[in-house]
Amino acid sequence: MSFLNSAVENQIGNDNNLSGGEGENDLSAKLSKYQTRDPIPNDNIFFIELGFGNDSHGQSATKASIRACRNAIEFNSIPSIQRLLSDSGGYDALKLDVLLAIPSKYQTNELDLDKVVEVFPYGDVRVDIQDGGMVTKSGIAIDRFGDVNDDMVVVCASVIVGH
């Protein structure tokens, strides 16, 4: 195992905070749906994209995660994939390893991974979650926006694209 894969595996394996919280079994089940294959080996990585997103009102880790994933992929184009992977299926043969760094207090059953994965137009998506991101104050809670407090939820995303 290479240094990067070892470091990523240690980070994912040790920092995952899906136990002890309300709805942990449901979130773990949702996550397991997107962990049906091994992570992409280093030799098969094309590139790594990073992004961040936030939800200023409503305290939705789903919205922040969607925005982080969109931010990671929105300025990229990979037109040569069809040629590079023509023997194995082109764009549909791509594998995406998505790591979401979400504040632990917002790693709840409310997180809708199906909606997050819809951001990606193609490929086999694998998702991992770790503690991270940030919770900061917006300075105001607005009832009509669904605020339960004045938290702003910030999520960071790493999207590894490979085959």
Side-chain angles (χ1 to χ4, degrees):
M1 180 180 289
S2 72
F3 172 75
L4 180 61
N5 275 349
S6 176
V8 170
E9 284 302 312
N10 286 337
Q11 186 176 36
I12 292 167
N14 295 333
D15 288 346
N16 213 342
N17 186 33
L18 299 179
S19 60
E22 186 177 316
E24 82 177 77
N25 292 334
D26 292 336
L27 183 55
S28 293
K30 287 179 182 182
L31 191 59
S32 68
K33 175 181 175 182
Y34 295 105
Q35 294 183 335
T36 58
R37 63 170 173 77
D38 290 331
I40 302 167
N42 279 354
D43 291 345
N44 293 359
I45 293 174
F46 290 128
F47 55 89
I48 300 170
E49 306 162 301
L50 303 174
F52 84 96
N54 80 301
D55 185 28
S56 298
H57 297 285
Q59 297 74 46
S60 172
T62 300
K63 284 183 186 177
S65 295
I66 288 169
R67 290 171 179 161
C69 290
R70 282 185 183 155
N71 182 244
I73 68 170
E74 67 188 344
F75 297 108
N76 297 293
S77 177
I78 45 177
S80 61
I81 293 299
Q82 195 64 35
R83 180 179 51 79
L84 292 171
L85 298 178
S86 62
D87 293 342
S88 56
Y91 289 99
D92 290 331
L94 279 178
K95 294 179 181 174
L96 307 173
D97 288 354
V98 178
L99 176 59
L100 300 173
I102 301 173
S104 60
K105 122 182 208 183
Y106 289 99
Q107 292 178 24
T108 68
N109 192 39
E110 304 284 320
L111 181 59
D112 189 338
L113 292 175
D114 291 335
K115 286 185 179 179
V116 174
V117 169
E118 286 177 7
V119 167
F120 302 101
Y122 41 74
D124 176 14
V125 181
R126 182 180 195 282
V127 179
D128 280 303
I129 297 172
Q130 73 177 33
D131 288 349
M134 179 174 61
V135 177
T136 189
K137 300 297 177 195
S138 68
I140 187 170
I142 303 173
D143 291 337
R144 67 184 168 154
F145 292 150
D147 283 338
V148 295
N149 57 41
D150 69 341
D151 283 357
M152 286 184 9
V153 179
V154 179
V155 172
C156 301
S158 167
V159 179
I160 299 174
V161 179
H163 65 100

